Every structure is written in C-alpha cells, then in structure tokens.
Amino acid sequence: MVNAQERIDVIYNVVKNRNPGEAEFHQAVWEVIETLTPVLEKCPYYAKQKIIERICEPERQIIFRVPWEDDNGEVHINRGFRVGFNSALGPYKGGLRFHPSVLLGTIKFLAFEQTFKNALTGMPIGSGKGGSDFDPKGKSDSEVMRFCQSFMTELYRHIGELTDIPAGDIGVGSREIGFLFGQYKRITNRYEAGVLTGKSPLWSGALVRRESTGYGVAYFAEQMLKARNESLDGLSCVVSGSGNVAIYAIEKLHQLGAKVVACSDSGGVIYHEEGINLDTVKAIKEGARGRISAYLDEHPEAEYRADGNIWEIPCHLAFPCATQNELDENAAETLIENGCKAVVEGANMPCTPIAVDLFLDSGVGYGPGKAANAGGVATSALEMQQNASRDAWSFEYTEKRLHAIMANIHSDCYHTSEEFGAKGNYVVGANIASFRRVADAMLAFGII
Ligand code: GLU
C-alpha cells in the first residue's frame, strides 16, 4: 500500500513526464499537490477515485494558427491557445494572455491555477485560460483589431456562454475584448453578452470589473491584517507592475489608508517617497499606453531606476502584481531583512517556491494569488450573472458583493488552515479548501 506522500510524488512524476519542458506548469502543480497529503490521509476515497490525477490533466487543449497582416501589408503568424482545464463547477472560465512569452505550458499553469482560484470564489465557474504569443506592445489599434479578429475566427467555435467564457489577462483589456466580441457577434449572428467578460460597461460589461482584481487584492490584505489585529492604516507598500491589477490595487490601498511608494514596468521602477500619484500612472498607462519612466515628467522629485529591483525598497507590505516568478529568493530575503510584514499576490504565481517557503518560515504573512487575486474572476462571474438576467448593477452594489466575496475567501482559507493544523498558512488553506470543492463535484459526476 503506498502512503499519501508516495502517491503525491508518483503523481508529480507523471505530470512532469507527460508534459515535458513545461516548467511553470510543473511548478504550479507541485505548489498545490504538495499540500494535499493530509487531505488524502483524511479522505482515502479521493485517492481511490484518482481525483488528483484527474485534476492535473486538462480536459481539453486547443492550439491554432493566427495569421494577420500589419499596417505595412506584412503577414505575421502567431499561435493561439485555449485550455479548458476543469468544468466540474461550471463552464470553463479564465482570461486570455497576449504576450510574446506565451507557450502552451504558460497557459496550462494559468488554467491549472484558475481551477482552484475559481473554486474559492464560491461562484459556479470552472477553469480555463488562453492566449497567444502575439505582442500588443507597439502595435496600432488597427493591427490589434486585425489580430483579434483572426484569433476569434478560430476561437469562436470552442467558446459560448454555457461552455467557455474568456476574459482579459496580461495584454488583453477592454479594447481587445471589444474587438473579440465584435467578431464573435458577427460570425455567430448572436448578441451573446455572456460569452466574454471584462466588456466595457458601455455595452453589456459590468461596473467594477476593471477595478476588481486590484481592489480584491487590497481587500484580501486588509483581511490578513485584521486576522492579526492590525490594519492597513499608515503602512507603506510597494506594488510591482503598473497594469490593470497594479493600478487598482494602488487605488484601493490609498483609499484604505496605506501609502504606495513604488510601482514599475518592464523598463524600470518608480520610487516616490511621498506616495505614487495614481492619476499620473493612469494617464501614462491607460491613456498614452506609454512607459512608466514618463512619470518623472510630472514628478521630477520622484526617482526612476532603470532595470531596478523594486523589492529592495523597504516596505511594510509587498504586492507583486506584474507576472510569474518575478519575486525570487533573493528578493524574499531582502524583504524579510527590511521588516516586511506581508506579501500579497496580485499576479498569478509571482513568487518562486523558495521565496514562498522563506516567507512561511519567517512568519511573514503570505497571501497566494489564487486567493488574493480571485476578485477579478469573481466579478467576471457577477458580470455573467448580470448578462444572464439582462440587468446592470450599480458600482456600489457590485463593489459590496466583491468585498463580501473577498472576505469569504479569506475566512475559508483561514479556517481550513486551522482545520489542518497550519493556522494562518494561506497556501494550505487555499489549496485544500478549493481542492475539496472541485473534488466533491467531480465525485458526484462519476468517472469522467
Ligand atoms: N485573468 C484573470 C485571472 O487571472 C481574470 C479571469 C476572468 O475574469 O475570467 O483570474
């Protein structure tokens, strides 16, 4: 009889051998399954039914060619992906990422993470993710439109409001969602609002969706501090990135009384001791689609560090909101030495496994992305709810729902960590709480 730990090791080896070269996918799988040993011990039925083995295998993976023409008439070929990972709790749900680094393994790690994140929201959504190695940076609006139209010309046959509902992720915002929806509507002859989320509120989108991931991250941090009888008031924060997640994390952190002193983009870091001016960041990133270095034009007293390391800036709270594996063990050591209280993930898998272990071992609070950044997809589910009932909710009501969902996610993770003897370890709490939810639904359906 193999014990639970041996079983987990065997499963991990199968995942590695079956998905060669997909290091990020291996990492995401290991980060979840290494915490599941006590669940298998407590409930051997999961092992007998091979639930972990099933959860680690995507239900479907679609790869397609995306040809398009640039403004000079040159033809380009990109690769498109959509992975439907798990549909036990609802139709596949998850964003699209357009970035030159995207490979199948990237999409699989994101879709796998999405399985647990979406389960934590408590909403009826399964998991998926998609995207392309297309780089929207430096492309004209017409080029982005032609790319999106070509991408949807294949994708449309695989998605639907009851099948698979894409949304945004890195490189995909409301401009891209608009082009994608326009093409879907044209091809299918259906105004099927619920097939995509992250739509503009001008045409069937939900208020608060744009803000929701970042707001949710700040709410999760607030809950983590509350559990330690502390508050955000007066704390200094560092937020990496300056995209949609970072911008609205900064906005809510400021509203809740904290001060964000740094943000970044792939070119460098802005450090502004008196606090980041968010209007300037929005004007650069949402308006001009420019580089964060332009911040100095408005605030010459701030500092720009080209290729700088944002984690060297002393802070009480760190929010990695850029991309996967952006915060490594060296950064973790620096943060710990500088007295950081907690690290809360806005991006998906931004901390490396060793960095996570360092935080857990040193008592630094650590909020994993699958819990802390679930507010975005949760609000997508609220958008689907509004679309299904042909309704449009107010900003205040939607934000109240988001706040309640984040508080619930926090207490679910916290209580589950307690139940498994690891009080305050949100990795254990998030993985086990979500795993049980997905596993129990799968068991109900038989061997599928
Ligand atoms: N891409 C976001 C995430 O990582 C949102 C997905 C969605 O709204 O479907 O959760």
Side-chain angles (χ1 to χ4, degrees), residues 258-280:
K259 181 168 86 166
V260 179
V261 295
C263 65
S264 62
D265 67 9
S266 56
V269 174
I270 287 289
Y271 172 59
H272 197 174
E273 201 185 345
E274 70 189 47
I276 291 288
N277 183 310
L278 199 56
D279 289 340
T280 306

Side-chain angles (χ1 to χ4, degrees), residues 93-95 114 117 129 167-169 209 348 377 380:
K93 180 83 197 90
Q114 203 83 41
K117 182 195 309 197
K129 204 87 184 190
D169 195 82
R209 177 62 191 88
N348 292 313
V377 76
S380 277

